[in-house]
Amino acid sequence: MHRVSLIPGDGIGPEVTDAARQVLEASGADLTFEIALIGQEAEKTSGAQMPPAVFESFARTKLLLKGPTYTPFGGSFRVKVERPGPDGKVQQGSYSSLAIALRKELGLYVNVRPVKSYPNVRSRYADVDLVIFRENSEDLYVGNERMIDADTAEGIKRITRGATERVAKFAYDYMKQVGRKKMTIGHKSNVMKMTDGLWLRTAEEVGKGFPDIATEARVIDALCMELVIKPETFDGLLLQNLYGDIVSDLGAGLVGGLGVAPGANIGPDCAMFEAVHGSAPDIAGKDLANPLAMILSALMLLRYLRESDAADRIDRALEEVLRERKHVTRDLGGDAGTRRMTAAVVEKLQGMKNQA
Ligand code: NAD
């Protein structure tokens, strides 16, 4: 049996994580869940956005299914983390968002974001199938910013050989395992000669150890244009933290929007699965959220656990529900709510169980 820490999150988070949990339970996979609160709900009950209980749960499970969490735009919002370190002393951290805090604190160094066309999901393209590997630990996201004076702000971009090698090695290994054939490394080394230069050289060096996978490099702006013109020609994209963040949303747009974009954050011996979308406060609590991205993230969790049969069943159930188009949410062209669409997927899974 696998234990999973489940973070409901803010806004639409509780609705879509509940959907993912129902689908996982109906898939036949042997899982048990521990609820761990962070964000607005945690603050109400424990006074902290990120209470130590979430780390205690994660230390037991090493697996996290996370709903989106709310971060105020602008202002001086910081997430404070206080927890016992490996030496027993209290470790403190301060981060610009809950998602970043978890990725850093748990050492989740790569974000894997598949971008795939699904039947009957409205989009301009029909045959996109690529995977984005986003470096999760450094770049402009190290949060080292300062005001020089009232009218001047600056931020540090940090790229290291070690973090680049680690993410590149993971990405090429993953591509090899799933039989993908071409890696495109995004960069802007013509302008950022040191940071992006080091990134490109290091990633290409790792690529040489994988002769079965072709490697090409693209300047990040040209890559964005080509992705919009001919997305079907891309297979794997290896990107720094900020480029990866931006291109992930571009990728979601290629296949029908944020409602269909899942993600996994992977560390050395642990992983966290979450949709690309945020907490969508505009539709929270209205039974309008598309649960697909969160269900697809849960499906990635099963693949990570090598629960292939349960994952394949969910894949088939989703394909059928999307193909029939009777019970899909508004953003997918239907009129079903989150609950009705989830129930349709669960019914398909129960049907498969009865046939077996
Ligand atoms: P958002 O992704 O929450 O919403 C953008 C738009 O997409 C909204 O119109 C929303 O209604 C729609 N949308 C998003 N998910 C949907 C779904 N499943 N079904 C149907 N429609 C959906 O982005 P935002 O408005 O920029 O951010 C809102 C909050 O979420 C912010 O506080 C932001 O910091 C946070 N956020 C969190 C994460 C995370 O926890 N990993 C990621 C992104 C944003």
Side-chain angles (χ1 to χ4, degrees), residues 199-210:
W199 160 265
L200 179 58
R201 279 196 311 279
T202 307
E204 283 181 331
E205 203 50 50
V206 172
K208 285 184 190 151
F210 294 82

Side-chain angles (χ1 to χ4, degrees), residues 12 16 66-73 99 103 258-259 274-283 288-290 331:
I12 59 170
V16 292
K66 175 185 168 292
T69 39
Y70 176 75
T71 309
F73 290 93
R103 288 176 200 148
L258 285 169
E274 62 175 346
V276 173
H277 65 71
S279 60
D282 52 332
I283 56 168
L288 289 176
N290 179 355
D331 59 313

Side-chain angles (χ1 to χ4, degrees), residues 113-130 180 251-252 254-263 290 292-293 295-297 299-300 303 311 314-325 328 332 341:
R113 291 176 163 177
V115 176
K116 187 168 172 250
S117 303
Y118 283 94
N120 280 337
V121 175
R122 260 180 305 182
S123 101
R124 289 176 184 269
Y125 309 92
D127 46 7
V128 181
D129 183 7
L130 58 90
R180 288 185 179 265
L254 295 175
V255 293
L258 285 169
V260 297
N290 179 355
L292 189 54
I295 295 173
L296 289 169
S297 305
L299 197 152
M300 290 181 81
R303 298 244 180 254
I314 295 179
D315 227 351
R316 282 208 308 279
L318 289 174
E319 289 254 348
E320 283 177 31
V321 168
L322 291 171
R323 225 174 269 288
E324 289 170 6
R325 221 178 173 192
V328 294
L332 298 177
M341 182 164 166

Side-chain angles (χ1 to χ4, degrees), residues 128-193:
V128 181
D129 183 7
L130 58 90
V131 183
I132 295 171
F133 302 94
R134 170 189 174 193
E135 202 288 322
N136 242 355
S137 71
E138 52 183 23
D139 188 11
L140 281 159
Y141 279 63
V142 290
N144 199 344
E145 288 188 286
R146 61 177 182 150
M147 296 301 296
I148 304 290
D149 60 40
D151 301 316
T152 314
E154 65 177 21
I156 303 270
K157 172 164 176 159
R158 175 185 292 268
I159 300 292
T160 62
R161 186 185 304 282
T164 308
E165 271 174 1
R166 186 172 62 172
V167 69
K169 177 90 178 42
F170 175 92
Y172 276 97
D173 270 336
Y174 182 107
M175 296 276 285
K176 189 176 166 184
Q177 260 181 39
V178 299
R180 288 185 179 265
K181 295 286 176 227
K182 185 179 72 167
M183 183 77 90
T184 305
I185 305 168
H187 68 98
K188 188 85 185 175
S189 66
N190 48 332
V191 176
M192 280 162 280
K193 296 183 191 323

Side-chain angles (χ1 to χ4, degrees), residues 60-80:
R60 280 190 295 273
T61 63
K62 301 282 184 193
L63 271 180
L64 205 56
L65 186 61
K66 175 185 168 292
T69 39
Y70 176 75
T71 309
F73 290 93
S76 56
F77 175 84
R78 300 294 293 174
V79 178
K80 301 260 187 294

